Amino acid sequence: MARKKTILKSQILETAYQVVKTEGFEGFTARNIAKKMDCSTQPIYLEFKNMDDLKQELVVKIKNYIDESIYTKERKEDSLLNMCLNYVYFAKEEPVFFKALFFESQLDTDQMHAISLDMMMEVFNQNEGTKDLSKAEKMKLFKNIWITVHGTAVLIAQGFLKFHEKDVTDYINQVLVQYVPNYTA
């Protein structure tokens, strides 16, 4: 009779996720993940071809987390402002995880930024002031807005800027008023 698996793929993925969330990619090693699970590295390599395979599945889990947990929080009634604030709050509340995703070169940073771009495009498509813009105009608008939003988030995650919701809301509103057609704060 074959031995029953005691360590499942989902457990490995969850442990890897928690490691990156709390330690960044410095802790993303087979040995460290195995240590957290109190096992050898063998179960990891039985479930995943290699660490890159695990990392690709981790990206899917991270994308789901960002889509379902970060961007869905209702902070303000305006969807554009809400999305921008959610990103900055992510940097404030989970700076290690934020830095791991958007600073460290362990993941394809374009792939990580595409999550925000895709979400912003959805918001643009539903917003009265932006839904009729061309794709090129929406891309330009995203870049103009994201310079302030991402810059603010980075400064907060690094501890160079203290988070004050009113100030951050004012920064973002200034950019939205400047670039979004018919936007009023």
Side-chain angles (χ1 to χ4, degrees):
M1 185 167 169
R3 287 180 57 193
K4 184 178 178 184
K5 277 190 199 181
T6 57
I7 298 177
L8 304 174
K9 186 175 188 175
S10 60
Q11 293 169 310
I12 297 166
L13 184 59
E14 180 60 29
T15 302
Y17 174 78
Q18 291 302 323
V19 164
V20 171
K21 201 169 180 180
T22 58
E23 300 176 29
F25 277 97
E26 287 182 17
F28 185 76
T29 65
R31 281 189 182 163
N32 192 37
I33 293 166
K35 182 179 174 187
K36 302 277 184 210
M37 297 181 72
D38 197 28
C39 68
S40 72
T41 59
Q42 184 183 16
I44 296 170
Y45 292 112
L46 287 173
E47 296 295 337
F48 299 94
K49 290 181 234 164
N50 52 42
M51 290 302 284
D52 284 337
D53 186 35
L54 173 55
K55 193 181 293 183
Q56 288 310 308
E57 291 205 30
L58 183 61
V59 167
V60 172
K61 185 172 180 65
I62 289 168
K63 181 184 183 320
N64 289 337
Y65 171 73
I66 292 171
D67 286 346
E68 296 168 8
S69 298
I70 300 300
Y71 285 135
T72 57
K73 293 181 180 171
E74 291 292 327
R75 298 182 193 283
K76 302 291 180 183
E77 285 185 33
D78 180 78
S79 58
L80 285 170
L81 179 59
N82 193 56
M83 187 201 157
C84 296
L85 281 174
N86 281 334
Y87 186 79
V88 176
Y89 265 95
F90 176 42
K92 174 192 174 276
E93 293 169 354
E94 301 184 65
V96 172
F97 197 31
F98 181 85
K99 289 182 223 176
L101 301 180
F102 297 105
F103 293 11
E104 297 177 11
S105 58
Q106 294 293 320
L107 292 178
D108 179 357
T109 53
D110 288 341
Q111 187 178 18
M112 295 315 302
H113 284 288
I115 296 168
S116 300
L117 172 63
D118 292 345
M119 186 63 71
M120 184 66 89
M121 289 300 165
E122 283 181 37
V123 172
F124 286 162
N125 290 334
Q126 296 169 4
N127 183 283
E128 285 300 316
T130 56
K131 69 180 179 182
D132 294 329
L133 297 175
S134 70
K135 185 174 181 177
E137 289 170 321
K138 288 175 186 172
M139 283 298 294
K140 183 177 180 181
L141 182 57
F142 172 77
K143 288 177 184 177
N144 287 333
I145 294 169
W146 217 244
I147 288 169
T148 298
V149 173
H150 182 68
T152 302
V154 166
L155 291 171
I156 289 170
Q158 291 180 319
F160 291 126
L161 182 65
K162 294 287 181 213
F163 179 88
H164 300 286
E165 184 174 336
K166 185 189 178 324
D167 292 341
V168 171
T169 301
D170 289 347
Y171 302 147
I172 296 168
N173 270 327
Q174 288 172 12
V175 171
L176 295 175
V177 166
Q178 182 177 358
Y179 292 110
V180 177
N182 304 316
Y183 188 87
T184 54

